[in-house]
Amino acid sequence: MGISLDILNECTLCPRMCKVDRREKIGVCTVGYLPKVSNIVLHKGEEPPLSGENGAGAVFFSGCPMKCIYCQNMGFSQKGVGFEITLEELANAFLKVQQAGAKTLDLVTPTPHIPWILMALDIAKENGFNLPVVYNTSSYERVEILKELSGYVDIYLADIRYTDNAYGLRYSKVENYWDIAQKAIEEMYNQVGPFDEEKMKGLIIRILVTPNKVSGHEKALEFIANLDKRIPVALMSQYIPHFGAKNDTLIGRKITKKEYEDALDKLIELDLDGWMQLDEKERVTTFPIDWRCEK
């Protein structure tokens, strides 16, 4: 394993490079030393090949390097809701996800926890773990850290949030989001290529269409097409102006049908493929996993 726990002594896991000694206090991500988890469930709301019949085994980690003002997971992503667990508990949780029939292990917002995740995967694999590992990320990642994930991650599920650095700062409080995300996505692609369902390996890119083209989805789709038209795109329409976005002049509303259809037209024009968001949704998309019990 290329990333030891020593990195947490002066943390540089994410592009913020806050260099906090996480043995003593929390980082900008709101995470301290031990891995911190909000919930672990079978989640049917991910892309169909990742969910399968039973759902993806979604591990919702607490904390996040980004501070999106509209985040629907505000409680555990920014306010620290969750509970710290040991390395052994995390490894056992991965095994419990597999035993519950999950199609994949879906690591949601894993960046602040990378050293623990890699060690837990090593332990779990020694005990029979063999699910495809999904790294579910905002793409606000350091290339140097992503390189250390090679061989551990099978599928990168990567967002493109903005293609304008100014919007990244305004709405997620991070500098140079687009500059960083492009390089991160290129590294993910270099590691695993475009997603291949038969191999259960590769890169999938998500774009959440936001009002007034704040997401920069047209530029994002052009970037993907230039990288590799075989990369599947999940074009999402479920934006809701939560929390600080409610009264914003640009993103203080849901998107219109025309805004989404225009984004879909751009995807088709560029000869890209993937998943569109239908209006119909399952009422129940998550199911609990009894992951805290003994092996």
Side-chain angles (χ1 to χ4, degrees):
M1 195 216 19
I3 304 179
S4 75
L5 292 174
D6 290 343
I7 197 170
L8 301 180
N9 301 349
E10 193 175 348
C11 193
T12 54
L13 282 171
C14 84
R16 287 184 178 274
M17 305 278 283
C18 71
K19 297 187 177 181
V20 166
D21 184 349
R22 285 170 51 188
R23 297 170 300 177
E24 304 294 333
K25 57 182 181 179
I26 62 173
V28 175
C29 59
T30 73
V31 182
Y33 188 66
L34 290 172
K36 194 173 187 181
V37 171
S38 169
N39 203 1
I40 301 179
V41 298
L42 285 173
H43 182 36
K44 289 193 172 184
E46 303 292 41
E47 286 66 22
L50 306 186
S51 297
E53 186 177 339
N54 294 330
V59 182
F60 289 96
F61 288 97
S62 300
C64 182
M66 294 183 62
K67 307 296 175 186
C68 303
I69 66 171
Y70 49 83
C71 181
Q72 63 182 358
N73 298 325
M74 186 74 73
F76 61 83
S77 70
Q78 297 181 36
K79 295 186 177 181
V81 173
F83 37 87
E84 292 183 336
I85 60 175
T86 65
L87 171 61
E88 291 73 20
E89 286 175 317
L90 185 60
N92 189 49
F94 293 168
L95 290 167
K96 286 292 181 182
V97 163
Q98 180 168 300
Q99 291 166 16
K103 179 71 179 290
T104 55
L105 175 66
D106 183 17
L107 306 172
V108 184
T109 322
T111 313
H113 313 270
I114 286 172
W116 294 107
I117 289 170
L118 299 189
M119 289 191 295
L121 283 171
D122 284 338
I123 293 170
K125 286 176 181 178
E126 289 174 1
N127 289 278
F129 177 84
N130 59 12
L131 290 181
V133 175
V134 179
Y135 193 86
N136 193 332
T137 173
S138 66
S139 301
Y140 186 66
E141 302 278 359
R142 292 186 62 209
V143 169
E144 296 84 352
I145 300 298
L146 289 174
K147 286 182 183 294
E148 302 295 339
L149 304 182
S150 181
Y152 283 93
V153 173
D154 300 288
I155 300 162
Y156 283 102
L157 183 57
D159 291 348
I160 294 181
R161 302 281 178 87
Y162 319 96
T163 59
D164 184 324
N165 289 330
Y167 284 145
L169 184 60
R170 175 173 173 175
Y171 295 118
S172 295
K173 299 181 175 60
V174 293
E175 295 183 352
N176 303 319
Y177 171 83
W178 182 226
D179 296 340
I180 288 166
Q182 289 177 87
K183 293 175 182 176
I185 289 170
E186 286 168 355
E187 171 59 27
M188 297 177 209
Y189 173 77
N190 290 338
Q191 284 184 27
V192 296
F195 178 70
D196 182 320
E197 185 171 357
E198 187 175 333
K199 296 178 180 177
M200 283 303 288
K201 186 172 183 176
L203 171 64
I204 297 170
I205 296 181
R206 282 177 166 174
I207 299 174
L208 176 65
V209 180
T210 47
N212 295 301
K213 298 185 178 181
V214 167
S215 53
H217 49 267
E218 292 182 350
K219 189 174 178 180
L221 290 167
E222 289 169 357
F223 167 77
I224 297 165
N226 288 330
L227 185 58
D228 190 332
K229 290 191 176 185
R230 297 172 299 167
I231 298 169
V233 179
L235 196 65
M236 304 186 294
S237 65
Q238 78 265 32
Y239 171 76
I240 297 174
H242 289 297
F243 307 108
K246 288 180 180 178
N247 299 314
D248 187 85
T249 54
L250 291 179
I251 62 170
R253 62 171 174 82
K254 295 182 179 180
I255 63 170
T256 64
K257 184 178 180 181
K258 185 178 187 305
E259 282 175 318
Y260 184 73
E261 288 176 347
D262 286 349
L264 189 59
D265 286 344
K266 183 67 174 181
L267 182 147
I268 294 168
E269 175 193 323
L270 291 168
D271 197 27
L272 293 168
D273 202 356
W275 303 275
M276 63 178 289
Q277 193 111 48
L278 301 173
D279 292 333
E280 301 84 9
K281 295 180 181 178
E282 291 187 57
R283 291 185 179 180
V284 178
T285 59
T286 61
F287 303 89
I289 294 175
D290 185 14
W291 62 273
R292 300 208 74 176
C293 58
E294 296 298 320
K295 293 181 183 179

